[in-house]
Amino acid sequence: MFSFPGLTKLAKILIILNVVLWIIEVILLRTSYSGIINSMFLFPSQVMSGKIWQLITYSFFHSPSNIFHLILNMLVLYFFSYELEIKWGKRRFVFFYLISAFIGGVFVVLEALFFIPSHYSIPTLGASGSIFALTTAYALTYANREIYFFIFPIKAKYLIHIDLAIIILSYLSISNSDISNAAHLGGMFCAFILIKVPWYRLLKRKVHKKEKVVNHLRRIK
């Protein structure tokens, strides 16, 4: 039976922050301060010239001419954040959200540099890199959980197939799409690496080696 998920304090903060920044963005873009907002968007050309912060800041702004860009991303954040944050904790969730946005931004720059040069001076904005990462993480973590895709019940693991299909069809489309497929792919890639690679084992080995070195030094003393 369909039920609405809860809303954690962190998810609420992220949603409010995105909405507030969108309102500020829409207002300032109509003033002489529009340059400040534009400097927050991700321009591959500007990132390459040193504006590294854009690899993160772009994810907190959305299309000023299409409010549904913001609404859709925030809805997905609402539906898929609760269980992941409860399972991971706030720190890991924030890290995951920001690093997936960053990797999504890196993919945008790489796409412009090596595959689609026309995107080199085009701005990218939106939380979609983190959003696609969240749906991928949910699909990998709760693979057999039944969820609703619109009105159709499906297993969560099929979210990955749906996301990839959307990206592929968008790339194949002959229309001039405003969708940043590179950011989506980057977010999915980041989620897969963070979920599937057993980082805790690597960290455990490092801690174990460090303890060995410390114990050895103590014996020498």
Side-chain angles (χ1 to χ4, degrees), residues 189-208:
F189 172 79
C190 181
F192 186 84
I193 294 298
L194 291 177
I195 299 296
K196 285 297 185 180
V197 175
W199 297 101
Y200 65 92
R201 290 182 188 172
L202 297 176
L203 292 172
K204 190 175 180 181
R205 286 175 189 171
K206 286 184 179 180
V207 171
H208 187 59

Side-chain angles (χ1 to χ4, degrees), residues 24-25 28-29 31-41 43 46 51 53-54 57 61:
I24 293 173
E25 171 192 349
L28 291 187
L29 283 176
T31 70
S32 58
Y33 297 101
S34 60
I36 297 174
I37 294 299
N38 279 312
S39 68
M40 298 293 108
F41 300 163
F43 291 85
Q46 294 183 15
K51 295 184 178 180
W53 65 84
Q54 293 183 357
T57 56
F61 295 89

